[in-house]
Short mmCIF file of all heavy atoms in Angstrom, two decimals:
data_model
loop_
_atom_site.label_atom_id
_atom_site.label_comp_id
_atom_site.label_asym_id
_atom_site.label_seq_id
_atom_site.Cartn_x
_atom_site.Cartn_y
_atom_site.Cartn_z
N ARG A 3 1.91 5.02 0.76
CA ARG A 3 1.63 6.03 1.79
C ARG A 3 2.50 7.24 1.55
O ARG A 3 3.67 7.12 1.24
CB ARG A 3 1.92 5.47 3.18
CG ARG A 3 0.91 4.46 3.64
CD ARG A 3 1.24 3.93 4.99
NE ARG A 3 1.85 4.93 5.84
CZ ARG A 3 1.63 5.06 7.13
NH1 ARG A 3 0.84 4.24 7.72
NH2 ARG A 3 2.24 5.98 7.83
N MET A 4 1.91 8.42 1.74
CA MET A 4 2.66 9.65 1.60
C MET A 4 3.51 9.85 2.85
O MET A 4 3.00 9.73 3.96
CB MET A 4 1.71 10.84 1.43
CG MET A 4 2.43 12.12 1.17
SD MET A 4 1.41 13.56 0.76
CE MET A 4 -0.23 13.03 0.74
N THR A 5 4.79 10.12 2.66
CA THR A 5 5.64 10.41 3.81
C THR A 5 5.46 11.86 4.22
O THR A 5 5.03 12.69 3.42
CB THR A 5 7.12 10.15 3.48
OG1 THR A 5 7.50 10.99 2.40
CG2 THR A 5 7.35 8.70 3.12
N ASP A 6 5.77 12.19 5.44
CA ASP A 6 5.55 13.53 5.96
C ASP A 6 6.32 14.61 5.22
O ASP A 6 5.90 15.74 5.18
CB ASP A 6 5.91 13.59 7.45
CG ASP A 6 4.87 12.89 8.30
OD1 ASP A 6 3.77 12.60 7.79
OD2 ASP A 6 5.16 12.62 9.47
N ASN A 7 7.46 14.26 4.65
CA ASN A 7 8.27 15.30 4.01
C ASN A 7 8.12 15.32 2.49
O ASN A 7 8.87 15.98 1.80
CB ASN A 7 9.74 15.13 4.39
CG ASN A 7 10.30 13.81 3.94
OD1 ASN A 7 9.59 12.96 3.44
ND2 ASN A 7 11.59 13.62 4.14
N GLN A 8 7.13 14.61 1.96
CA GLN A 8 6.91 14.57 0.52
C GLN A 8 6.25 15.87 0.06
O GLN A 8 5.33 16.37 0.68
CB GLN A 8 6.03 13.38 0.16
CG GLN A 8 5.85 13.24 -1.33
CD GLN A 8 5.18 11.93 -1.69
OE1 GLN A 8 4.97 11.09 -0.84
NE2 GLN A 8 4.86 11.77 -2.95
N THR A 9 6.73 16.39 -1.06
CA THR A 9 6.15 17.59 -1.63
C THR A 9 4.77 17.28 -2.19
O THR A 9 4.56 16.23 -2.78
CB THR A 9 7.05 18.12 -2.76
OG1 THR A 9 8.34 18.39 -2.21
CG2 THR A 9 6.51 19.39 -3.36
N ILE A 10 3.83 18.22 -1.95
CA ILE A 10 2.48 18.07 -2.50
C ILE A 10 2.18 19.26 -3.41
O ILE A 10 2.85 20.29 -3.35
CB ILE A 10 1.41 17.95 -1.39
CG1 ILE A 10 1.37 19.23 -0.53
CG2 ILE A 10 1.63 16.71 -0.55
CD1 ILE A 10 0.18 19.29 0.43
N SER A 11 1.16 19.13 -4.20
CA SER A 11 0.71 20.19 -5.09
C SER A 11 0.01 21.29 -4.30
O SER A 11 -0.62 21.02 -3.27
CB SER A 11 -0.27 19.61 -6.11
OG SER A 11 -0.97 20.62 -6.78
N TRP A 12 0.06 22.50 -4.83
CA TRP A 12 -0.68 23.60 -4.20
C TRP A 12 -2.18 23.29 -4.20
O TRP A 12 -2.91 23.76 -3.35
CB TRP A 12 -0.38 24.93 -4.89
CG TRP A 12 -0.75 24.97 -6.35
CD1 TRP A 12 0.07 24.71 -7.41
CD2 TRP A 12 -2.02 25.30 -6.91
NE1 TRP A 12 -0.62 24.83 -8.60
CE2 TRP A 12 -1.90 25.21 -8.32
CE3 TRP A 12 -3.24 25.67 -6.37
CZ2 TRP A 12 -2.95 25.47 -9.19
CZ3 TRP A 12 -4.30 25.92 -7.24
CH2 TRP A 12 -4.15 25.82 -8.63
N MET A 13 -2.65 22.45 -5.13
CA MET A 13 -4.06 22.10 -5.19
C MET A 13 -4.48 21.24 -4.01
O MET A 13 -5.66 21.16 -3.68
CB MET A 13 -4.37 21.40 -6.51
CG MET A 13 -4.32 22.34 -7.68
SD MET A 13 -4.88 21.53 -9.19
CE MET A 13 -3.32 21.29 -10.01
N ALA A 14 -3.53 20.58 -3.36
CA ALA A 14 -3.82 19.74 -2.20
C ALA A 14 -3.63 20.49 -0.88
O ALA A 14 -3.83 19.93 0.19
CB ALA A 14 -2.93 18.50 -2.22
N LEU A 15 -3.24 21.75 -0.97
CA LEU A 15 -2.96 22.55 0.22
C LEU A 15 -4.25 22.98 0.91
O LEU A 15 -5.15 23.50 0.27
CB LEU A 15 -2.14 23.78 -0.19
CG LEU A 15 -1.70 24.74 0.91
CD1 LEU A 15 -0.87 24.03 1.96
CD2 LEU A 15 -0.93 25.89 0.30
N ASP A 16 -4.33 22.75 2.21
CA ASP A 16 -5.51 23.09 2.99
C ASP A 16 -5.31 24.36 3.80
O ASP A 16 -4.19 24.65 4.25
CB ASP A 16 -5.84 21.96 3.99
CG ASP A 16 -6.27 20.69 3.29
OD1 ASP A 16 -6.98 20.75 2.27
OD2 ASP A 16 -5.89 19.61 3.79
N GLU A 17 -6.40 25.09 3.99
CA GLU A 17 -6.37 26.22 4.93
C GLU A 17 -6.01 25.67 6.29
O GLU A 17 -6.36 24.56 6.64
CB GLU A 17 -7.73 26.93 4.97
CG GLU A 17 -8.05 27.69 3.72
CD GLU A 17 -9.38 28.42 3.81
OE1 GLU A 17 -9.96 28.51 4.92
OE2 GLU A 17 -9.84 28.90 2.77
N GLY A 18 -5.29 26.46 7.07
CA GLY A 18 -4.88 26.03 8.41
C GLY A 18 -3.53 25.35 8.44
O GLY A 18 -3.02 25.04 9.51
N THR A 19 -2.93 25.13 7.26
CA THR A 19 -1.60 24.53 7.19
C THR A 19 -0.56 25.54 7.69
O THR A 19 -0.67 26.73 7.42
CB THR A 19 -1.27 24.11 5.75
OG1 THR A 19 -2.27 23.17 5.31
CG2 THR A 19 0.10 23.48 5.63
N ASP A 20 0.43 25.07 8.41
CA ASP A 20 1.49 25.94 8.93
C ASP A 20 2.30 26.56 7.80
O ASP A 20 2.56 25.92 6.79
CB ASP A 20 2.45 25.16 9.83
CG ASP A 20 1.83 24.78 11.16
OD1 ASP A 20 1.00 25.54 11.67
OD2 ASP A 20 2.18 23.71 11.68
N VAL A 21 2.72 27.81 8.02
CA VAL A 21 3.67 28.48 7.13
C VAL A 21 4.94 28.68 7.93
O VAL A 21 4.91 29.21 9.05
CB VAL A 21 3.11 29.84 6.63
CG1 VAL A 21 4.12 30.56 5.76
CG2 VAL A 21 1.80 29.64 5.87
N VAL A 22 6.08 28.24 7.36
CA VAL A 22 7.35 28.23 8.08
C VAL A 22 8.41 28.97 7.27
O VAL A 22 8.52 28.78 6.06
CB VAL A 22 7.81 26.77 8.33
CG1 VAL A 22 9.10 26.72 9.11
CG2 VAL A 22 6.72 25.98 9.03
N SER A 23 9.20 29.79 7.95
CA SER A 23 10.27 30.54 7.28
C SER A 23 11.48 29.65 7.03
O SER A 23 11.58 28.55 7.58
CB SER A 23 10.69 31.73 8.15
OG SER A 23 11.30 31.26 9.34
N ALA A 24 12.41 30.15 6.24
CA ALA A 24 13.64 29.39 5.92
C ALA A 24 14.47 29.14 7.17
O ALA A 24 15.21 28.15 7.23
CB ALA A 24 14.45 30.14 4.87
N ASP A 25 14.33 30.00 8.18
CA ASP A 25 15.08 29.80 9.43
C ASP A 25 14.29 29.00 10.46
O ASP A 25 14.64 28.96 11.63
CB ASP A 25 15.60 31.13 9.99
CG ASP A 25 14.53 32.21 10.12
OD1 ASP A 25 13.38 32.00 9.69
OD2 ASP A 25 14.86 33.29 10.65
N GLY A 26 13.20 28.34 10.01
CA GLY A 26 12.47 27.42 10.87
C GLY A 26 11.42 28.03 11.78
O GLY A 26 10.84 27.32 12.60
N GLU A 27 11.15 29.32 11.66
CA GLU A 27 10.16 29.98 12.51
C GLU A 27 8.75 29.75 11.96
O GLU A 27 8.52 29.87 10.76
CB GLU A 27 10.42 31.49 12.57
CG GLU A 27 11.70 31.87 13.27
CD GLU A 27 11.67 31.56 14.75
OE1 GLU A 27 10.64 31.81 15.41
OE2 GLU A 27 12.70 31.08 15.26
N SER A 28 7.82 29.46 12.85
CA SER A 28 6.42 29.35 12.45
C SER A 28 5.88 30.76 12.24
O SER A 28 5.97 31.60 13.13
CB SER A 28 5.62 28.64 13.54
OG SER A 28 4.25 28.60 13.17
N LEU A 29 5.34 31.01 11.05
CA LEU A 29 4.86 32.35 10.71
C LEU A 29 3.36 32.50 10.83
O LEU A 29 2.86 33.61 10.87
CB LEU A 29 5.28 32.69 9.27
CG LEU A 29 6.77 32.67 9.00
CD1 LEU A 29 7.03 32.86 7.51
CD2 LEU A 29 7.48 33.74 9.81
N GLY A 30 2.64 31.41 10.88
CA GLY A 30 1.19 31.46 10.96
C GLY A 30 0.57 30.31 10.20
O GLY A 30 1.22 29.30 9.92
N LYS A 31 -0.70 30.50 9.85
CA LYS A 31 -1.48 29.45 9.17
C LYS A 31 -2.02 29.99 7.84
O LYS A 31 -2.40 31.15 7.75
CB LYS A 31 -2.67 29.03 10.03
CG LYS A 31 -2.31 28.57 11.43
CD LYS A 31 -1.89 27.15 11.45
CE LYS A 31 -1.68 26.68 12.89
NZ LYS A 31 -1.09 25.39 12.95
N VAL A 32 -2.07 29.11 6.86
CA VAL A 32 -2.63 29.46 5.56
C VAL A 32 -4.11 29.80 5.73
O VAL A 32 -4.86 29.06 6.36
CB VAL A 32 -2.49 28.29 4.56
CG1 VAL A 32 -3.25 28.58 3.26
CG2 VAL A 32 -1.03 28.00 4.26
N THR A 33 -4.52 30.96 5.19
CA THR A 33 -5.93 31.33 5.19
C THR A 33 -6.53 31.26 3.79
O THR A 33 -7.73 31.19 3.64
CB THR A 33 -6.15 32.75 5.76
OG1 THR A 33 -5.41 33.69 4.99
CG2 THR A 33 -5.73 32.82 7.22
N LYS A 34 -5.65 31.28 2.77
CA LYS A 34 -6.14 31.24 1.40
C LYS A 34 -5.01 30.85 0.45
O LYS A 34 -3.87 31.28 0.64
CB LYS A 34 -6.68 32.62 1.00
CG LYS A 34 -7.25 32.70 -0.39
CD LYS A 34 -7.83 34.08 -0.67
CE LYS A 34 -8.45 34.09 -2.05
NZ LYS A 34 -9.15 35.34 -2.32
N VAL A 35 -5.35 30.07 -0.56
CA VAL A 35 -4.43 29.77 -1.66
C VAL A 35 -4.85 30.67 -2.81
O VAL A 35 -6.02 30.66 -3.21
CB VAL A 35 -4.50 28.28 -2.07
CG1 VAL A 35 -3.59 28.02 -3.26
CG2 VAL A 35 -4.12 27.39 -0.90
N VAL A 36 -3.92 31.46 -3.32
CA VAL A 36 -4.23 32.37 -4.43
C VAL A 36 -3.75 31.70 -5.71
O VAL A 36 -2.54 31.48 -5.89
CB VAL A 36 -3.55 33.74 -4.23
CG1 VAL A 36 -3.89 34.67 -5.38
CG2 VAL A 36 -3.95 34.35 -2.89
N ALA A 37 -4.71 31.38 -6.59
CA ALA A 37 -4.37 30.65 -7.81
C ALA A 37 -5.51 30.76 -8.83
O ALA A 37 -6.63 31.10 -8.48
CB ALA A 37 -4.13 29.18 -7.48
N ASP A 38 -5.17 30.45 -10.06
CA ASP A 38 -6.16 30.29 -11.12
C ASP A 38 -6.20 28.80 -11.42
O ASP A 38 -5.34 28.27 -12.12
CB ASP A 38 -5.76 31.09 -12.36
CG ASP A 38 -6.80 31.03 -13.46
OD1 ASP A 38 -7.55 30.02 -13.54
OD2 ASP A 38 -6.86 31.97 -14.26
N VAL A 39 -7.18 28.12 -10.85
CA VAL A 39 -7.26 26.67 -10.95
C VAL A 39 -7.41 26.23 -12.41
O VAL A 39 -6.77 25.28 -12.84
CB VAL A 39 -8.43 26.12 -10.09
CG1 VAL A 39 -8.61 24.63 -10.28
CG2 VAL A 39 -8.21 26.45 -8.63
N GLN A 40 -8.23 26.93 -13.17
CA GLN A 40 -8.47 26.53 -14.56
C GLN A 40 -7.21 26.61 -15.42
O GLN A 40 -7.01 25.83 -16.33
CB GLN A 40 -9.58 27.36 -15.17
CG GLN A 40 -10.89 27.12 -14.43
CD GLN A 40 -12.10 27.42 -15.27
OE1 GLN A 40 -12.02 28.10 -16.27
NE2 GLN A 40 -13.22 26.89 -14.85
N LYS A 41 -6.33 27.58 -15.12
CA LYS A 41 -5.10 27.72 -15.89
C LYS A 41 -3.91 27.06 -15.20
O LYS A 41 -2.80 27.10 -15.70
CB LYS A 41 -4.79 29.20 -16.12
CG LYS A 41 -5.78 29.88 -17.02
CD LYS A 41 -5.42 31.33 -17.24
CE LYS A 41 -6.43 32.01 -18.15
NZ LYS A 41 -6.12 33.42 -18.33
N ASP A 42 -4.16 26.45 -14.01
CA ASP A 42 -3.12 25.79 -13.23
C ASP A 42 -1.95 26.74 -12.92
O ASP A 42 -0.79 26.41 -13.10
CB ASP A 42 -2.61 24.53 -13.94
CG ASP A 42 -1.77 23.65 -13.03
OD1 ASP A 42 -1.90 23.77 -11.79
OD2 ASP A 42 -0.96 22.86 -13.54
#
Side-chain angles (χ1 to χ4, degrees):
R3 288 179 34 143
M4 184 173 359
T5 60
D6 287 346
N7 61 354
Q8 184 170 353
T9 301
I10 62 170
S11 166
W12 61 266
M13 288 187 255
L15 182 58
D16 293 322
E17 290 182 11
T19 301
D20 288 327
V21 177
V22 182
S23 67
D25 51 355
E27 293 293 318
S28 177
L29 301 173
K31 305 277 186 188
V32 172
T33 58
K34 181 177 183 174
V35 177
V36 180
D38 183 333
V39 175
Q40 297 204 342
K41 293 181 180 178
D42 193 22

